[in-house]
């Protein structure tokens, strides 16, 4: 079972960069293979970067995480 949570700042300032976090946890008993996480940002947002590096397509970001134990 995969648990995905997003941590966002309580407030952001228009025109300024901000950071948000995506937490991905395997809460099941078995390893999960070929895990990919996708996140779609709101209209008007620009994705600047991510760690780990993901694929950016418009306002969609995706990460291939492989196996999560």
């Amino acid at each position: 079972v995969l648990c995905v949570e997003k941590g966002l700042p309580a407030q952001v300032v228009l025109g300024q960069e901000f950071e948000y976090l995506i937490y991905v946890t395997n809460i099941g008993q078995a390893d999960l293979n070929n895990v990919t996480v996708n996140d779609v940002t709101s209209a008007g947002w620009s994705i600047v970067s991510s760690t780990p590096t993901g694929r950016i397509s418009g306002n969609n970001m995706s990460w291939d995480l492989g196996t999560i134990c």
Side-chain angles (χ1 to χ4, degrees):
V1 177
L2 191 65
C3 176
V4 179
E5 299 176 273
K6 190 185 295 189
L8 294 163
Q11 295 182 359
V12 296
V13 177
L14 183 64
Q16 290 188 0
E17 291 183 12
F18 65 93
E19 179 179 287
Y20 71 96
L21 304 172
I22 298 175
Y23 302 95
V24 180
T25 308
N26 179 357
I27 59 174
Q29 299 296 318
D31 292 353
L32 300 174
N33 299 308
N34 302 313
V35 175
T36 298
V37 173
N38 295 298
D39 187 50
V40 179
T41 61
S42 298
W45 288 18
S46 296
I47 300 170
V48 175
S49 66
S50 76
T51 304
T53 301
R55 290 183 311 281
I56 300 171
S57 177
N59 64 336
N60 183 57
M61 186 91 184
S62 62
W63 299 267
D64 294 323
L65 303 179
T67 300
I68 298 180
C69 301

